[in-house]
Amino acid sequence: MCGILGYTGDKQASDILLAGLARLEYRGYDSAGIAVLDNGAVKVVKNKGRLTALEEKIKSGYDVAGNCGIGHTRWATHGEPSDLNAHPLWSDDMSVVAVHNGIVENYREIKNMLANHGYAFYSQTDTEAAVKLIDFYYKQEKDPLKAITKAIKVIEGSYCFVLLFRDFPGEVWGVRKDNPLIAGQGEGESFLASDVSAILQYTRQVYYLDNMDIVQLKKGVVRFFDTDGYAKPKDITTVTWDAQAAEKGGFEHFMMKEIHEQARAVKDTFGSVFHSGKIDLKESGLTDETMKGISQIYIIACGSAYHVGAAAQYIIEDLAKIPVRIEMASEFRYRNMPLIKDALAVIISQSGETADTLAAMRLAKSHGIKTMAIVNVVGSTIAREADNVFYTLAGPEISVATTKAYSAQLIACYVLAMELARVKGTITPTYYENLIGELQSLPEKIDSILDESVRLEEIAGRFVNARNAF
Ligand code: GLU
């Protein structure tokens, strides 16, 4: 969901990658890394934290010489931010090295399948499963394109992969689905990037990849293939945006960009708990057993997350018939209210660091109440300390006024309400199925509403000067 880059040409790849990643910093990230392919050796440097820390690390004595490489800034979705979980990730013999933006939804199934073939895993990421799946096919086919086409028929979710194959010097490969990727063509050099702003200083000649396009870079050559491995012609475009507009994906400001990312945020959040036609909260740690015993819910949050809670209160009470109290975290922590032991405290926070919300959660825990955090930042304090965690997968939100994180939190609450209702038997299986269908159709509906920008502007124009709303 953050930054991704690939380069091949005559320059030092690390210079281009680090400069490009710096241009993508504004998107927010928790770790950064690069890999350079040089004379049959892959050199990887990565770490948790800022890009400057990566640069320092490289300066401290890492050899990253080479003219072909990939780079990444990570916003963790699976596995906490750490040096190990940072990208690039590799297959055990370094045949395949990759960076990834997005989510591999069926990574558990892939891991299980690969474990049966002797694969072991060193990180907690979903990405490693995909990298090793590509490696699995690569070992059979000895051909990057065939390995990629086979793997993407198995991988479910949203992704953009940029890859190096150790035995294919000077080549960078990429593929995308529901995550942005562009290819840039320069004089004797070529680029891949998640965002055009990262390469604008080198070229304005770019190709926009469609979903499921596969791309191969060689020095100054960009080729495309379809999912069956057939060559695919593509038109080159000259970018006229300036760097600032490019950062915002052509939108006027970040909030507008994030409004338009809502469909993806909702789809990813629901997709992360929806497997083989069923909602599955196993990963959050919340079991049917626990849900059965809950007789009261406290929703604890601040600011916009509190408003999500206010909506969730109606949804949970309506579907699951469990009494819900919505509590402002700052009040909850100082108020001395009688608390019911077999309650579930649902803690909502985008950052997972909201001070009052964290203190309120600790208070609830000290009363022996089970906690379920709905947070957007993997490995954040609230996520670490809560008994159960439901990650929203909205990606980093730059605008202060929340849009996509709010929508994703609301989806998490719907899912929770539906699961409580299923376990308690308060809704019929048919109604439950209908709700699943509705949740699945939401992303498309969101997009179709946003497509009506003229009408939306007209409506906004009517209310823009209102000081109060009722
Ligand atoms: N899902 C991957 C991870 O957690 C990629 C995250 C990203 O898009 O930065 O490592």
Side-chain angles (χ1 to χ4, degrees), residues 1-2 72-78 87 100-103 125-127:
M1 272 167 224
C2 285
H72 190 254
T73 46
R74 178 179 186 231
W75 175 270
T77 65
H78 292 70
H87 300 206
H100 165 221
N101 278 167
I103 292 144
T125 62
D126 51 335
T127 305

Side-chain angles (χ1 to χ4, degrees), residues 26 247-262 304 396-407 450:
Y26 72 93
E247 282 180 353
K248 298 180 195 101
F251 290 105
E252 223 175 301
H253 44 74
F254 282 115
M255 186 167 164
M256 196 57 105
K257 175 168 176 272
E258 286 162 4
I259 284 172
H260 285 267
E261 285 170 351
Q262 283 179 108
S304 303
E397 199 170 56
I398 291 170
S399 168
V400 173
T402 178
T403 52
K404 60 175 182 168
Y406 179 97
S407 302
L450 291 176

Side-chain angles (χ1 to χ4, degrees), residues 165-346:
F165 290 83
R166 191 196 55 203
D167 299 327
F168 286 78
E171 292 188 18
V172 182
W173 288 80
V175 60
R176 71 157 285 216
K177 178 175 169 245
D178 297 335
N179 262 273
L181 184 64
I182 57 126
Q185 170 117 43
E187 281 291 316
E189 57 186 359
S190 31
F191 307 81
L192 287 178
S194 49
D195 193 315
V196 75
S197 60
I199 60 164
L200 269 189
Q201 63 188 113
Y202 310 109
T203 180
R204 291 189 164 268
Q205 299 299 106
V206 307
Y207 298 94
Y208 289 93
L209 273 79
D210 292 316
N211 262 350
M212 308 310 283
D213 278 352
I214 300 168
V215 56
Q216 178 199 35
L217 298 189
K218 289 185 179 182
K219 277 189 195 182
V221 181
V222 185
R223 294 170 70 200
F224 296 94
F225 304 91
D226 65 16
T227 49
D228 294 316
Y230 291 110
K232 185 177 171 178
K234 261 190 120 55
D235 293 331
I236 201 157
T237 318
T238 306
V239 177
T240 50
W241 294 341
D242 61 20
Q244 255 192 347
E247 282 180 353
K248 298 180 195 101
F251 290 105
E252 223 175 301
H253 44 74
F254 282 115
M255 186 167 164
M256 196 57 105
K257 175 168 176 272
E258 286 162 4
I259 284 172
H260 285 267
E261 285 170 351
Q262 283 179 108
R264 191 202 42 73
V266 164
K267 187 162 177 258
D268 284 349
T269 302
F270 184 60
S272 71
V273 292
F274 190 68
H275 306 293
S276 325
K278 274 213 217 75
I279 292 179
D280 179 2
L281 292 183
K282 220 179 0 218
E283 202 128 296
S284 78
L286 198 63
T287 60
D288 283 11
E289 199 77 277
T290 309
M291 284 193 276
K292 258 183 215 144
I294 294 167
S295 67
Q296 167 77 48
I297 288 180
Y298 302 111
I299 301 180
I300 303 171
C302 294
S304 303
Y306 176 88
H307 291 281
V308 171
Q313 177 182 39
Y314 286 21
I315 303 163
I316 298 172
E317 289 188 338
D318 179 28
L319 295 182
K321 312 291 177 221
I322 303 172
V324 180
R325 293 187 65 126
I326 159 83
E327 298 288 337
M328 191 68 85
S330 50
E331 298 293 322
F332 182 86
R333 62 181 289 201
Y334 293 116
R335 204 163 108 215
N336 203 2
M337 60 188 278
L339 294 170
I340 294 169
K341 279 254 176 307
D342 52 7
L344 177 71
V346 178

